[in-house]
Amino acid sequence: MSQQPPQHPVSPYAPTQPAGFGPPTPPAGPRRGGPGDPRRSRLFLILTVAFLLIVGGAFARVLLMGDDDDGGNDDPGEVLEDPAGPTEGTLAWDLPSPGVSAEDLMLSASGTWFTENTVVRLMDTAVVAHDLASGEEVWTFPVERLGGDSECLASPHADQNRIAVLQGRDCEALTVLDITTGEEITTFDVELPVSPGRDEAPALLGDTVAIGSGIQLGSAAYRVGDGTELWRHSVLDDPCADISYQVLDETLVALTRCGGQEATDGGEVRGLDEEGRELWSWAYGPEHEGEPIEVNAVLSADPLVVHAAVGEEREARLFVVHDNHTGIAHTLDYSSDRYVAPCVWRTCDVAVVADGRLALVSTTRTTPTVVTFDLATGQSLYETEPVGEHDDIRPFGSHDGAVLAYQPAVGAQPGAVVTIDPETGEATPMMTLDPEAAPLEAALAGNEAVSPNLLLHQVQPLWDAASGTFVLSNEMFHSGGANPPALLVYQ
């Protein structure tokens, strides 16, 4: 006798339907075995324009990257390579995309996490867990995250198998979920000067969840257990105020502005424990080498690597900070015309930091390559080209100092997951993907898709070492024409 997935109490912020129209439509189920017919957000307003420019509803080709966190397991585990050759990854199942209305135009659904037996997705109106092996729905937790002009965000990484999800018309409520069971741990209101909306995601560490305000006006932090406010900052009232948080290396990393909303006195990057106690800080002035500077993202906490805008033209720079946080140790040889931008707003998922090295995607050749920097010296070490007959390579994670990279499908040739040797820079195939699913993979992430440079960070490659599962997670959907699936799951 089959067992129905557990149904959890509907959150007071869950979407409702008018009387007489029945319950909300459940998420579409997975498709098993092979390719099938594939059935709004800020990467800023510019994405809206970009999508309108795509001809014929074609799928957006993207440069797929992810960071070195595996979504729920802090240790990626052991990557086992068969001496006889790479593992063959079969498309076990795929999840259709959610429908997007013509008036909404686009839908952003950013968030994928692993547990021992499931992969959990933030979708349009729910957080949904699917069995890793079969794709069957295990549980669904409804959320209201599409109200007003906002698409409320979730914590990018799980902590102790919990995630924090903003919801409500103005993203005014925060819910913490146990993603092993789908049970609601708590829901409470957050009070910020401006809704975080598409700008800021909550950061969850232990019993603390912290969130920045929209338009960089301040921040607040709360105790998960009872919703008690732990601290609050305002750029209008405080000499220096945190405006954004993320969790890196088991540390709550805060971006701080000093001197009001215009940051006339520069700022800081601070490392905090879950009680808000400062572990370390790096302060910078309002100018760098005579030009205005604004640090807007953090790629790594140890070593501290930051993304900054410098000068009146806001030229992108990557800085490595001294281990004692006394100043800038190195300015990497990076420019936006030679590399794919590693960060969009606060999210730096088009770069991998592993074992004192930084891997970026270079665009100086006819096909992308991966250039790796030694963060101790600031010098580039090697350049890695795609292997086999592939013409693209995209780092997305790491294990034991070796970078993991995804090589997308080329036409009928399937994609592959490769490892990049930290000493030589050589790429070695670890998993080859399903040949029968190559057209579907290519439409989602490969050379069959359109590739305007505006459309980055849309699809995340993820590796779950415990189960030997590779996932392509699509996080942006649009109206008009067919969308690629929300998930492709290879085992």
Short mmCIF file of all heavy atoms in Angstrom, two decimals, residues 1 11 14-15 48 58 88 101 108 127 141 143 184 189 196 217 221 240 242 247 251 300 342 345 403 421 448 488:
data_model
loop_
_atom_site.label_atom_id
_atom_site.label_comp_id
_atom_site.label_asym_id
_atom_site.label_seq_id
_atom_site.Cartn_x
_atom_site.Cartn_y
_atom_site.Cartn_z
N MET A 1 0.86 -1.19 0.00
CA MET A 1 0.00 0.00 0.00
C MET A 1 0.89 1.23 0.00
O MET A 1 1.77 1.39 0.83
CB MET A 1 -0.89 0.02 1.24
CG MET A 1 -1.81 1.23 1.32
SD MET A 1 -2.95 1.07 2.75
CE MET A 1 -3.84 2.61 2.56
N SER A 11 1.04 27.33 6.49
CA SER A 11 1.51 28.54 7.14
C SER A 11 0.51 29.67 6.93
O SER A 11 -0.15 29.74 5.89
CB SER A 11 2.86 28.94 6.53
OG SER A 11 3.15 30.28 6.81
N ALA A 14 0.99 31.19 3.68
CA ALA A 14 0.90 30.36 2.48
C ALA A 14 -0.12 30.93 1.54
O ALA A 14 -1.09 31.57 1.94
CB ALA A 14 0.52 28.94 2.86
N PRO A 15 0.05 30.74 0.20
CA PRO A 15 -0.89 31.26 -0.76
C PRO A 15 -2.25 30.58 -0.62
O PRO A 15 -2.34 29.40 -0.33
CB PRO A 15 -0.24 30.92 -2.11
CG PRO A 15 0.69 29.80 -1.80
CD PRO A 15 1.15 30.01 -0.39
N THR A 48 15.01 41.47 -17.13
CA THR A 48 13.73 41.57 -17.81
C THR A 48 13.93 42.00 -19.25
O THR A 48 13.37 41.43 -20.19
CB THR A 48 12.82 42.57 -17.08
OG1 THR A 48 12.67 42.16 -15.74
CG2 THR A 48 11.47 42.67 -17.74
N ALA A 58 13.59 31.11 -27.02
CA ALA A 58 14.69 30.15 -26.88
C ALA A 58 15.19 30.13 -25.45
O ALA A 58 15.08 31.10 -24.72
CB ALA A 58 15.85 30.56 -27.81
N GLU A 88 29.39 6.71 -15.47
CA GLU A 88 28.34 7.10 -16.41
C GLU A 88 27.11 7.54 -15.64
O GLU A 88 26.51 6.76 -14.91
CB GLU A 88 28.00 5.93 -17.33
CG GLU A 88 29.15 5.52 -18.24
CD GLU A 88 28.77 4.39 -19.17
OE1 GLU A 88 27.61 3.92 -19.10
OE2 GLU A 88 29.63 3.97 -19.96
N SER A 101 2.96 33.25 -15.69
CA SER A 101 1.92 33.99 -16.40
C SER A 101 2.54 35.09 -17.24
O SER A 101 3.65 35.57 -16.97
CB SER A 101 0.92 34.60 -15.42
OG SER A 101 1.54 35.63 -14.65
N SER A 108 11.78 34.01 -10.50
CA SER A 108 13.05 33.57 -9.94
C SER A 108 12.77 32.65 -8.76
O SER A 108 11.97 32.98 -7.89
CB SER A 108 13.88 34.78 -9.49
OG SER A 108 15.04 34.36 -8.82
N VAL A 127 8.14 25.21 -0.92
CA VAL A 127 9.41 24.50 -0.80
C VAL A 127 9.05 23.02 -0.90
O VAL A 127 8.16 22.54 -0.19
CB VAL A 127 10.11 24.79 0.53
CG1 VAL A 127 11.43 24.04 0.61
CG2 VAL A 127 10.32 26.29 0.72
N PHE A 141 5.89 22.33 1.51
CA PHE A 141 5.54 23.37 2.47
C PHE A 141 5.19 24.64 1.68
O PHE A 141 6.06 25.25 1.07
CB PHE A 141 6.69 23.65 3.44
CG PHE A 141 6.33 24.60 4.54
CD1 PHE A 141 5.80 24.12 5.73
CD2 PHE A 141 6.49 25.98 4.39
CE1 PHE A 141 5.43 24.99 6.75
CE2 PHE A 141 6.13 26.85 5.40
CZ PHE A 141 5.60 26.35 6.58
N VAL A 143 4.50 28.40 0.62
CA VAL A 143 5.00 29.72 1.03
C VAL A 143 4.43 30.78 0.10
O VAL A 143 4.14 30.52 -1.07
CB VAL A 143 6.55 29.79 1.02
CG1 VAL A 143 7.14 28.92 2.11
CG2 VAL A 143 7.11 29.42 -0.34
N GLU A 184 7.69 23.12 9.97
CA GLU A 184 7.96 24.50 10.29
C GLU A 184 8.50 24.60 11.72
O GLU A 184 7.87 24.14 12.67
CB GLU A 184 6.67 25.31 10.16
CG GLU A 184 6.79 26.77 10.57
CD GLU A 184 5.47 27.50 10.42
OE1 GLU A 184 4.52 26.91 9.86
OE2 GLU A 184 5.38 28.66 10.88
N ASP A 189 7.65 37.80 12.41
CA ASP A 189 7.79 39.00 11.60
C ASP A 189 9.18 39.60 11.76
O ASP A 189 9.76 39.59 12.86
CB ASP A 189 6.75 40.05 11.98
CG ASP A 189 5.34 39.65 11.58
OD1 ASP A 189 5.21 38.82 10.66
OD2 ASP A 189 4.38 40.16 12.18
N PRO A 196 13.54 43.46 2.25
CA PRO A 196 14.72 42.96 1.53
C PRO A 196 14.39 42.56 0.10
O PRO A 196 15.24 42.63 -0.78
CB PRO A 196 15.17 41.76 2.35
CG PRO A 196 13.99 41.39 3.17
CD PRO A 196 13.20 42.63 3.40
N LEU A 217 19.83 49.97 3.81
CA LEU A 217 19.52 50.90 4.89
C LEU A 217 19.87 50.37 6.27
O LEU A 217 19.87 51.13 7.24
CB LEU A 217 18.04 51.29 4.86
CG LEU A 217 17.63 52.28 3.77
CD1 LEU A 217 16.15 52.59 3.87
CD2 LEU A 217 18.45 53.56 3.86
N ALA A 221 18.96 41.02 13.30
CA ALA A 221 19.20 39.60 13.54
C ALA A 221 18.27 39.12 14.64
O ALA A 221 17.91 39.88 15.55
CB ALA A 221 20.66 39.36 13.94
N CYS A 240 28.45 53.30 11.95
CA CYS A 240 28.69 52.19 11.04
C CYS A 240 27.56 51.18 11.22
O CYS A 240 27.14 50.92 12.36
CB CYS A 240 30.03 51.51 11.32
SG CYS A 240 31.49 52.51 10.91
N ASP A 242 25.80 47.34 9.73
CA ASP A 242 25.77 46.18 8.84
C ASP A 242 24.61 46.35 7.87
O ASP A 242 23.51 46.76 8.26
CB ASP A 242 25.57 44.89 9.62
CG ASP A 242 26.73 44.59 10.57
OD1 ASP A 242 27.78 45.24 10.45
OD2 ASP A 242 26.55 43.70 11.43
N VAL A 247 26.82 33.44 5.20
CA VAL A 247 27.58 32.48 5.99
C VAL A 247 28.67 31.88 5.12
O VAL A 247 28.39 31.32 4.05
CB VAL A 247 26.67 31.37 6.55
CG1 VAL A 247 27.50 30.32 7.27
CG2 VAL A 247 25.62 31.97 7.49
N THR A 251 31.12 31.02 9.54
CA THR A 251 31.20 32.36 10.11
C THR A 251 30.13 33.24 9.49
O THR A 251 29.88 33.17 8.28
CB THR A 251 32.59 32.99 9.85
OG1 THR A 251 33.59 32.14 10.41
CG2 THR A 251 32.70 34.38 10.45
N SER A 300 35.18 34.81 -0.20
CA SER A 300 35.75 33.85 0.74
C SER A 300 36.07 34.57 2.04
O SER A 300 36.43 35.76 2.03
CB SER A 300 37.02 33.23 0.14
OG SER A 300 37.74 32.50 1.10
N PRO A 342 32.34 37.18 -11.31
CA PRO A 342 32.10 36.12 -10.34
C PRO A 342 30.89 36.36 -9.46
O PRO A 342 30.37 35.42 -8.87
CB PRO A 342 33.39 36.13 -9.50
CG PRO A 342 33.89 37.52 -9.59
CD PRO A 342 33.53 37.98 -10.98
N TRP A 345 25.35 41.08 -7.56
CA TRP A 345 24.95 41.66 -6.28
C TRP A 345 25.75 41.00 -5.18
O TRP A 345 26.97 41.03 -5.19
CB TRP A 345 23.43 41.55 -6.09
CG TRP A 345 22.88 42.40 -4.97
CD1 TRP A 345 22.12 41.99 -3.92
CD2 TRP A 345 23.05 43.82 -4.81
NE1 TRP A 345 21.80 43.04 -3.11
CE2 TRP A 345 22.35 44.18 -3.61
CE3 TRP A 345 23.71 44.81 -5.51
CZ2 TRP A 345 22.31 45.49 -3.15
CZ3 TRP A 345 23.67 46.13 -5.05
CH2 TRP A 345 22.97 46.44 -3.88
N VAL A 403 39.21 21.42 -7.67
CA VAL A 403 38.00 22.08 -8.16
C VAL A 403 37.18 21.10 -9.00
O VAL A 403 37.73 20.33 -9.80
CB VAL A 403 38.37 23.32 -8.99
CG1 VAL A 403 37.17 23.87 -9.76
CG2 VAL A 403 38.95 24.41 -8.09
N ASP A 421 43.03 19.17 -11.28
CA ASP A 421 44.11 18.84 -10.36
C ASP A 421 44.73 20.13 -9.82
O ASP A 421 45.10 21.03 -10.58
CB ASP A 421 45.19 18.04 -11.10
CG ASP A 421 46.27 17.54 -10.17
OD1 ASP A 421 47.16 18.35 -9.83
OD2 ASP A 421 46.22 16.37 -9.77
N GLU A 448 23.10 24.59 -27.41
CA GLU A 448 21.86 24.76 -28.14
C GLU A 448 21.08 25.96 -27.63
O GLU A 448 20.06 26.33 -28.19
CB GLU A 448 20.99 23.49 -28.00
CG GLU A 448 21.65 22.25 -28.56
CD GLU A 448 22.02 22.40 -30.02
OE1 GLU A 448 21.15 22.84 -30.79
OE2 GLU A 448 23.16 22.11 -30.38
N LEU A 488 17.44 18.67 -13.47
CA LEU A 488 17.90 17.46 -14.12
C LEU A 488 18.74 16.72 -13.10
O LEU A 488 19.70 17.28 -12.54
CB LEU A 488 18.74 17.76 -15.36
CG LEU A 488 18.04 18.46 -16.53
CD1 LEU A 488 19.06 18.71 -17.65
CD2 LEU A 488 16.88 17.67 -17.04
#
